[in-house]
Amino acid sequence: MATAAPDDVRPLRRRNSFGFLPPEMSQLRLVLLGNSWSDRSSVGNLILGQTQSKPEEEPNTCQRVRGQVEEKEVVLINTPDLLHPHISQHKLIQHVGNCVRLSDPGPHVFLLVLQPEDFTEEHGLKLCTVLQLFSDRSFDHSLILTSTPQKKRSRFREKPNKNQPLKDVIRICKYRHLELKNLELPELLTRLGQIVKENRGEHVSVDVFEDPAETSPSDHQSVKQPETQTSITDAGKAVGLRALSLLSSQTMMSGIKPPSPSK
């Protein structure tokens, strides 16, 4: 991540503001999710207008950076690969808990940076689980950004409209979707502003991880204090029930079957 001082907020861009956020909002909090650190970093750098994170240096903790865009403060929380097939439930909940504290009092938008050629049913289920850990409302606050397939995998190129699991996730997020190829900042900011306005400027509240006694960490820091065993266990049970209920009752992912409850 950048070596700037934790609270160093610089005006990265000064243009005629087109009001991408409601005038009463002075800060926009974004969470980056996905299994490619390089792509997530590129999105963060696009938004903040300069290299805030190095694509080749993936951290194993959630990290936060701030900047000013269109006279508004933007807080970016970049996460580790929470869609990794071998990540444990304990570690997943711990990362989400850290992300919640870094985005206190809650994120406004989740940026889901996905790769069409790699996105599988397993990724779809894990992504739903991660979003459910935050809140049932996370899907209403999500924007999907799909990357361009890598050249070395060109023979396996698959567009979003050909990948059923990815199509299902796009549908869950009410078709909020942009392609990263040739994406420019004004278009991205406009879509972010639309999501914020659709949700009346409200952020996602994550009650299960709230800890009133804990102070908010400074920028570029990761939260090292883990959840207690009790809170991790309770959160794990809660997310399992919420995720199964969401996927089953609303039948939102026709191509992705919900996992069977563990015995």
Side-chain angles (χ1 to χ4, degrees), residues 76-148:
L76 279 172
I77 297 91
N78 208 340
T79 62
D81 181 4
L82 302 185
L83 305 187
H84 195 282
H86 301 303
I87 188 171
S88 67
Q89 183 80 345
H90 177 98
K91 182 62 72 173
L92 183 64
I93 294 173
Q94 189 178 55
H95 282 317
V96 172
N98 291 343
C99 185
V100 167
R101 287 187 287 271
L102 287 169
S103 61
D104 182 67
H108 294 103
V109 180
F110 295 92
L111 293 174
L112 314 180
V113 187
L114 308 176
Q115 296 73 43
E117 76 274 21
D118 292 331
F119 198 79
T120 64
E121 291 185 9
E122 185 176 11
H123 284 127
L125 284 171
K126 184 61 68 68
L127 181 59
C128 283
T129 299
V130 171
L131 289 174
Q132 277 292 128
L133 271 171
F134 285 93
S135 168
D136 291 343
R137 295 189 57 210
S138 298
F139 300 95
D140 293 331
H141 291 254
S142 294
L143 172 64
I144 295 172
L145 303 172
T146 52
S147 65
T148 302

Side-chain angles (χ1 to χ4, degrees), residues 11 33 44 60 74 82 97 99 130 138 145 163 242 245 259:
L33 295 171
N60 57 7
V74 174
L82 302 185
C99 185
V130 171
S138 298
L145 303 172
N163 183 314
R242 291 200 304 264
S245 174

Side-chain angles (χ1 to χ4, degrees), residues 236-263:
K237 291 179 180 178
V239 72
L241 292 174
R242 291 200 304 264
L244 285 173
S245 174
L246 180 76
L247 293 177
S248 299
S249 63
Q250 298 186 18
T251 320
M252 290 192 298
M253 298 188 73
S254 59
I256 300 177
K257 299 179 181 179
S260 301
S262 57
K263 298 181 179 179

